[in-house]
Amino acid sequence: MMRGARNATIVPHGKHLSIEPPSINFENIEANMKYIQTLVVRNLSTYVKRIRFQVPKSQEFRNEIGVAPGLSVSVDVEFLTRKVDDFFDKLVVVAEDFRGEVELCAQRPQEKVIHSVHAMKRVAWGHRSVVGNCHIDQADRKKNELPTEELNPALPKLETSSVVPSIKVSPDMLHFGQCPVNHRRDIVLRITNSSPPNTSVEFEIPRVSHMRVHPMKGKLAAGQSTNVVVSFMPKALGKYNQDISIKYGNSQYSHTLHCYGEAPVLGEKPVPVKGLERTGRDFDPEYIYVNQEQLNLPPKARNLQSLTKIMKEDLERNQYSSDALDSIMMDLPEPTPYSLSPSAMQEYVRNKQRYNKLLKDSRIRRKIRQKEELHPSEPVDIFYEDDVNMGMLPGSGLKSPRYNVCEIPVDKLHLERALDDDSAAEGVTGHRYMHDENKLIKKKYKAGPTTQAEVRECSASLETWQLGLISFGPAVLDFGNVYVKSTVVKSFSVFNDLPQAILVAMQYDAEELSRSTPTSQVVPSAHAAGFDVSVCSATPQNFQRQVVYTINGIHPYKLLVKATITPVQIRMSRADLNFRFSEDSLEKTLSEKLMLDNPGNAPAKFSWQGANQSFAVSPVSGVIPRGGSQGVEVIFTPPNSGQTMEGYLTLKVEDGNDHSLRCVGQAPEATLNFGVKRLDLGVLAVGLPADRSIPIVNGGKNVAVYHVDSVPDGVGISPMRGRVLPEGRAEIDVHVLLDRPMQLESAVTLNVRGGKPIRLPIMATAVNPNIEFMEDEIEFGQLTLGAQGVVPISLKNSSAVEGTHYVNLQPYPEFSLSLLEERQDTVYDADYDANALQPISLQQYQLAIGGVTEAQAAPSATIGNKTALMGATQNATQLGTQNEDEDEESNSQVYKITV
């Protein structure tokens, strides 16, 4: 018996293909019906067969070929009836050494007639009306006879056979899951005619609300199946539990199919394409099929397994049973003090399974022992005691399995150069040179021999052992990806371990290698020479050349140079930018960061094109170093119309491919208006501020953000930017301070993000106040030492604005000012103002007059007030202040007078 032999199938010549079935017959065909049978052609040989089919000549027969890799060829033979008749044809299968014919036959329904009498009659049988073929038989049969009391023996007897149509529907329940309103979910329903042979079934599915069925009716031959698409299209929120009824057999039978679905949210209603832009694809519905096995169903809708079935399975091997157990434990009611958690329940089930498995294995082993006791097997002679003695000595002719140390060959030491290897020649240094293509050797030797000894050595022919002492490397220079018009240099080195010099000459024939240097070098003994091989090309290509170099002009060698010349590449981190303002954003523009990477070997120059008023790029151009990256900022400025802006920025790469960056941005449309048509401040004093609050009204439905664009000189706006809620209002403060007499007529412009800018005209007149003393001089007269004298003094403001005087009496401590008390018998030109005279601190005084310590006057604001200026002498002794913070202003001898 041969070991290692395999079972083989011997196929006779010419029978390498098998055809099943040998003939195809379509019986009892009906008009306008499609029948399909499958023909299998199997390759029985051990090599590939090319199979060709000759299609039938009849138009009713068609075949569709589907090839399964290597095993068989399946042919679907279709028969499409146009008229009821008998059809005969053949399908020819041709191979290299095979030809087979399959007979094709289609027959119309045949009528069975006995005694040449055929009767068609509708008879009432029980509670069912049956229409069938009846035949006449003279034999006495009591089966299915029509009961009658007055039977005439001369009349024929009628027999009928009733057939109940049936269908199979898969799946038996439709669960669409969750579907938003105005959307759809689709499930493919398969209906199969499972009626007896030669029985066709016509089915019809009535309409159901929120459901759409396509097709709604059809006709199935015996054993035929069809697919029906059931679509769940909810029009309102809620849960749907509906039944679809499939009626067949002239609506006498029906099959009910339960459908479940839920519409939890409102979905966006798709806008159909209309007009000339609508194509043929727009008329076809977009099906969204549902996989019922992957739906996360509630506990009542899940097809839960029983706990007993799960416990009979192996949880450690069957993951689905473990998941089902988890689902059962989750659906249990609230736990009791005696119930188990899901993890504990799993451990309990696993222990139970291990115990049951141990009992089963014990029973199997016990049964095997009992069987062996009843039917013991023949003992095996493992020591060959009963074998025939042929006179052979044990172990003769065989090698002993024991190892002998003396028979083990001595291996040489694995060194770079074996110490006990006398067969190889030894060089000058005896070292192995390591070639590095990325390390350039700066020192270059002379191109040719100059002395007589060098000429003799560089022209000598070398033997094989001498060539072995010359090391070249690397054998292949792979430059990888190289940009066009860029230069990459790698080193090809030659190490001479001979006692004499050699001449190495390179032949750079390709134009891409024309920049390589040097072409030849005289390599001294025990030295290494480097050749800088450069690759540069102006066209993208897969470069591969062999460079021939010679030793002493006699011994040629080849060096393979490879490189992939590619255009300059710049990779963008993002291809689309979407600009959207957040609700709390007060920015006028939005910016997005974009990273540009250069993965190549040379710097990459770039520039941007396509910038407009909405999308701008910074920087517009630049250079990215090799292996580096650079950030680019894209700025979006929203238009005044609030429309969605879409644009494309083109990244131009020098000597490379262009890239397109899609930018989409939108700011909500906003509408703002000033609460007043203009701001008229009237007449102001030069140097004195005037403040007003201006309302801003938002009449739109979106949040409006504004920015102050232009402000005239002397006018300040606070805040410079802000936001106004929908149908709300906000205020801005206008601060006007004019430093010279002038007529102000200008406007303040506010830019509205996503809306049109608004303007507010501002008008004001600045004049200098005219304030003068009514007394020509102040005379105190003669005063005794320690006495106090009071003299009234009046100021008159003849201008249209109020003015302010600042008086500093610190250099004159004998004088002070106080407001004259109001007297009933005195008639003044204006109302009495108790705040006309106010003492201030020295710091306030310096801030008011701009840091000057001398008394100066500055204009301010109130009309027609009279004040009395009083001076008095004071003692030179200065009293100590008990409360310095409170008396600082009263004792500072600096006053502010408002007229």
Side-chain angles (χ1 to χ4, degrees):
M1 179 178 180
M2 297 179 61
R3 294 184 178 180
R6 296 182 301 175
N7 295 333
T9 302
I10 302 177
V11 182
H13 181 71
K15 299 295 184 179
H16 293 166
L17 298 178
S18 67
I19 303 176
E20 297 177 1
S23 62
I24 295 178
N25 186 17
F26 300 97
E27 296 181 353
N28 300 330
I29 61 175
E30 298 182 9
N32 299 322
M33 292 291 294
K34 183 178 180 180
Y35 302 89
I36 300 176
Q37 290 193 21
T38 303
L39 182 71
V40 179
V41 180
R42 191 176 305 276
N43 185 5
L44 302 178
S45 63
T46 59
Y47 53 90
V48 179
K49 285 286 187 178
R50 295 185 177 273
I51 302 173
R52 183 167 54 89
F53 295 90
Q54 295 182 2
V55 298
K57 299 180 180 179
S58 302
Q59 297 181 358
E60 286 76 12
F61 291 99
R62 293 186 301 176
N63 65 289
E64 297 181 358
I65 303 174
V67 179
L71 298 179
S72 62
V73 177
S74 300
V75 183
D76 291 339
V77 180
E78 298 182 359
F79 177 73
L80 180 61
T81 59
R82 293 178 174 83
K83 61 180 180 178
V84 179
D85 201 352
D86 295 337
F87 298 91
F88 300 94
D89 208 329
K90 63 182 179 179
L91 175 65
V92 181
V93 181
V94 181
E96 300 172 355
D97 52 356
F98 179 84
R99 178 182 176 87
E101 296 183 357
V102 179
E103 299 294 336
L104 305 179
C105 177
Q107 298 178 355
R108 60 185 177 182
Q110 302 294 329
E111 300 177 352
K112 296 181 180 180
V113 181
I114 301 178
H115 295 294
S116 68
V117 179
H118 179 267
M120 179 67 71
K121 186 175 183 61
R122 181 180 298 272
V123 296
W125 190 262
H127 297 284
R128 182 177 299 168
S129 178
V130 180
V131 179
N133 294 331
C134 305
H135 61 273
I136 301 175
D137 195 350
Q138 296 293 339
D140 292 336
R141 296 182 181 179
K142 295 184 179 180
K143 178 183 178 181
N144 295 340
E145 291 183 359
L146 295 176
T148 178
E149 297 179 355
E150 300 177 1
L151 284 178
N152 191 347
L155 294 178
K157 298 180 181 180
L158 300 179
E159 287 187 359
T160 63
S161 61
S162 61
V163 177
V164 178
S166 62
I167 61 174
K168 292 183 179 179
V169 180
S170 177
D172 54 355
M173 180 186 66
L174 301 182
H175 200 294
F176 295 92
Q178 294 183 351
C179 174
V181 179
N182 299 324
H183 287 209
R184 64 183 299 159
R185 295 292 184 268
D186 306 280
I187 297 179
V188 178
L189 186 69
R190 189 168 184 84
I191 303 176
T192 304
N193 183 6
S194 58
S195 303
N198 304 329
T199 303
S200 61
V201 172
E202 294 184 0
F203 69 91
E204 183 178 1
I205 303 176
R207 295 182 179 272
V208 180
S209 60
H210 305 283
M211 299 286 177
R212 181 175 294 180
V213 182
H214 180 76
M216 300 183 65
K217 59 182 178 179
K219 185 176 183 180
L220 300 176
Q224 186 181 1
S225 301
T226 185
N227 292 333
V228 176
V229 179
V230 181
S231 302
F232 174 53
M233 304 173 67
K235 301 301 180 182
L237 298 175
K239 294 183 179 180
Y240 297 88
N241 184 1
Q242 297 178 340
D243 296 337
I244 293 180
S245 178
I246 305 176
K247 298 182 178 181
Y248 60 96
N250 295 330
S251 301
Q252 296 183 3
Y253 306 93
S254 64
H255 180 87
T256 303
L257 191 66
H258 301 284
C259 302
Y260 302 93
E262 182 181 1
V265 295
L266 291 174
E268 183 179 358
K269 187 174 183 180
V271 180
V273 181
K274 300 180 180 180
L276 300 178
E277 298 179 356
R278 191 167 188 178
T279 60
R281 298 180 58 183
D282 297 329
F283 289 91
D284 299 332
E286 296 182 0
Y287 295 104
I288 302 177
Y289 295 101
V290 176
N291 188 356
Q292 299 189 86
E293 298 179 356
Q294 298 181 356
L295 287 178
N296 296 326
L297 304 181
K300 294 183 179 180
R302 279 199 292 260
N303 187 12
L304 300 179
Q305 305 183 34
S306 62
L307 187 60
T308 304
K309 182 179 179 181
I310 294 174
M311 293 182 63
K312 291 182 180 180
E313 296 181 359
D314 191 356
L315 290 181
E316 297 180 354
R317 297 183 180 179
N318 195 345
Q319 181 65 26
Y320 297 101
S321 299
S322 180
D323 296 341
L325 179 59
D326 292 340
S327 64
I328 288 180
M329 298 304 300
M330 291 174 60
D331 297 334
L332 290 177
E334 292 297 328
T336 63
Y338 306 100
S339 62
L340 296 177
S341 63
S343 59
M345 187 64 185
Q346 285 190 355
E347 189 65 25
Y348 169 76
V349 173
R350 290 191 180 95
N351 294 336
K352 190 69 175 179
Q353 290 178 354
R354 295 191 188 100
Y355 178 72
N356 294 338
K357 184 178 180 181
L358 179 62
L359 295 180
K360 290 180 182 178
D361 295 342
S362 301
R363 182 177 180 276
I364 292 174
R365 289 194 296 268
R366 185 175 67 255
K367 291 294 183 181
I368 293 175
R369 288 196 300 268
Q370 293 177 0
K371 185 177 180 181
E372 290 179 353
E373 291 176 358
L374 296 177
H375 305 283
S377 60
E378 297 181 359
V380 180
D381 187 10
I382 61 175
F383 298 102
Y384 306 101
E385 296 179 354
D386 297 336
D387 290 355
V388 180
N389 187 5
M390 300 178 64
M392 299 177 62
L393 298 177
S396 62
L398 299 178
K399 186 177 180 179
S400 175
R402 297 181 179 180
Y403 290 103
N404 190 358
V405 180
C406 299
E407 297 179 359
I408 300 176
V410 179
D411 294 335
K412 297 180 180 181
L413 295 177
H414 295 281
L415 302 176
E416 293 183 357
R417 184 181 294 275
L419 299 178
D420 54 352
D421 189 3
D422 299 332
S423 60
E426 184 176 356
V428 177
T429 61
H431 299 294
R432 178 173 297 176
Y433 184 80
M434 302 301 295
H435 300 276
D436 189 359
E437 61 181 9
N438 297 320
K439 183 179 180 181
L440 301 180
I441 301 176
K442 296 182 179 180
K443 186 177 181 180
K444 306 298 180 185
Y445 299 100
K446 51 188 175 181
T450 55
T451 63
Q452 186 176 2
E454 291 177 349
V455 172
R456 182 175 63 256
E457 292 175 355
C458 295
S459 61
S461 177
L462 303 178
E463 297 183 3
T464 304
W465 66 271
Q466 292 177 322
L467 294 175
L469 296 177
I470 303 175
S471 177
F472 311 96
V476 178
L477 282 179
D478 191 357
F479 288 82
N481 294 331
V482 180
Y483 283 166
V484 294
K485 298 182 181 181
S486 65
T487 303
V488 181
V489 183
K490 287 184 177 295
S491 176
F492 173 73
S493 55
V494 179
F495 180 72
N496 181 17
D497 206 9
L498 292 174
Q500 69 268 15
I502 59 174
L503 175 63
V504 181
M506 307 288 291
Q507 298 178 8
Y508 305 109
D509 298 334
E511 181 182 358
E512 291 79 4
L513 304 176
S514 60
R515 300 185 182 183
S516 302
T517 58
T519 57
S520 62
Q521 292 187 74
V522 176
V523 186
S525 175
H527 285 76
F531 294 87
D532 299 338
V533 182
S534 302
V535 173
C536 180
S537 176
T539 57
Q541 59 175 318
N542 288 326
F543 177 76
Q544 184 172 346
R545 296 288 188 279
Q546 285 185 346
V547 178
V548 180
Y549 60 95
T550 58
I551 307 299
N552 292 345
I554 301 174
H555 309 285
Y557 292 90
K558 293 182 180 180
L559 168 66
L560 181 61
V561 180
K562 299 191 300 182
T564 302
I565 312 299
T566 62
V568 180
Q569 298 178 0
I570 294 180
R571 295 182 299 193
M572 296 191 305
S573 59
R574 301 166 64 183
D576 295 330
L577 294 180
N578 195 352
F579 298 89
R580 289 292 184 271
F581 288 92
S582 60
E583 294 183 358
D584 55 350
S585 175
L586 298 179
E587 299 297 332
K588 186 177 181 180
T589 59
L590 277 183
S591 61
E592 290 286 345
K593 197 74 172 180
L594 183 69
M595 296 300 298
L596 303 180
D597 298 332
N598 178 16
N601 63 294
K605 296 182 180 180
F606 69 92
S607 61
W608 290 94
Q609 294 182 1
N612 50 31
Q613 296 180 354
S614 298
F615 300 101
V617 187
S618 177
V620 181
S621 60
V623 179
I624 305 176
R626 62 176 184 176
S629 60
Q630 182 173 349
V632 176
E633 187 178 14
V634 182
I635 303 173
F636 167 63
T637 303
N640 298 334
S641 59
Q643 297 179 354
T644 301
M645 300 300 297
E646 181 177 2
Y648 291 88
L649 300 178
T650 303
L651 177 63
K652 292 287 185 179
V653 182
E654 185 176 348
D655 298 327
N657 299 326
D658 299 340
H659 300 277
S660 180
L661 177 64
R662 179 175 176 267
C663 301
V664 179
Q666 182 185 13
E669 185 178 2
T671 304
L672 285 182
N673 294 305
F674 284 108
V676 295
K677 295 184 178 180
R678 63 179 181 177
L679 177 59
D680 190 357
L681 299 175
V683 181
L684 303 177
V686 175
L688 290 182
D691 297 327
R692 297 290 187 276
S693 295
I694 305 300
I696 302 177
V697 181
N698 182 4
K701 297 183 180 180
N702 299 320
V703 176
V705 177
Y706 65 88
H707 296 79
V708 179
D709 186 15
S710 61
V711 178
D713 296 337
V715 180
I717 304 296
S718 177
M720 295 296 291
R721 64 179 184 178
R723 60 197 300 262
V724 184
L725 297 178
E727 297 181 357
R729 58 188 296 153
E731 290 185 353
I732 61 174
D733 296 331
V734 180
H735 179 78
V736 180
L737 179 60
L738 303 178
D739 57 353
R740 65 183 186 278
M742 61 180 296
Q743 184 72 26
L744 176 62
E745 292 183 358
S746 183
V748 176
T749 304
L750 268 65
N751 280 337
V752 182
R753 190 177 70 189
K756 297 181 180 180
I758 57 177
R759 298 176 72 255
L760 176 65
I762 297 180
M763 294 178 293
T765 303
V767 298
N768 289 324
N770 186 13
I771 301 176
E772 56 186 10
F773 289 96
M774 298 178 63
E775 292 79 4
D776 295 335
E777 61 181 9
I778 302 174
E779 180 64 37
F780 287 93
Q782 294 182 357
L783 297 176
T784 60
L785 183 62
Q788 183 179 5
V790 179
V791 176
I793 187 172
S794 300
L795 286 86
K796 179 181 180 182
N797 186 359
S798 59
S799 60
V801 294
E802 69 179 19
T804 302
H805 278 286
Y806 292 92
V807 179
N808 184 7
L809 297 179
Q810 286 184 352
Y812 311 99
E814 298 84 3
F815 295 92
S816 64
L817 296 178
S818 62
L819 188 63
L820 185 64
E821 296 180 359
E822 184 178 6
R823 298 181 180 178
Q824 301 295 333
D825 55 350
T826 305
V827 179
Y828 294 95
D829 297 336
D831 296 336
Y832 179 79
D833 188 1
N835 296 324
L837 178 63
Q838 295 179 359
I840 61 176
S841 63
L842 181 61
Q843 184 179 3
Q844 295 176 352
Y845 169 70
Q846 292 176 351
L847 293 175
I849 66 175
V852 182
T853 59
E854 297 181 357
Q856 296 181 356
S860 195
T862 299
I863 302 176
N865 279 357
K866 267 190 179 180
T867 60
L869 183 62
M870 297 176 294
T873 60
Q874 296 180 350
N875 295 328
T877 59
Q878 190 171 3
L879 301 176
T881 58
Q882 297 180 355
N883 193 342
E884 184 179 355
D885 296 336
E886 296 179 358
D887 299 341
E888 181 181 359
E889 295 182 358
S890 60
N891 298 331
S892 63
Q893 291 186 325
V894 182
Y895 304 92
K896 175 184 176 182
I897 304 174
T898 304
V899 183

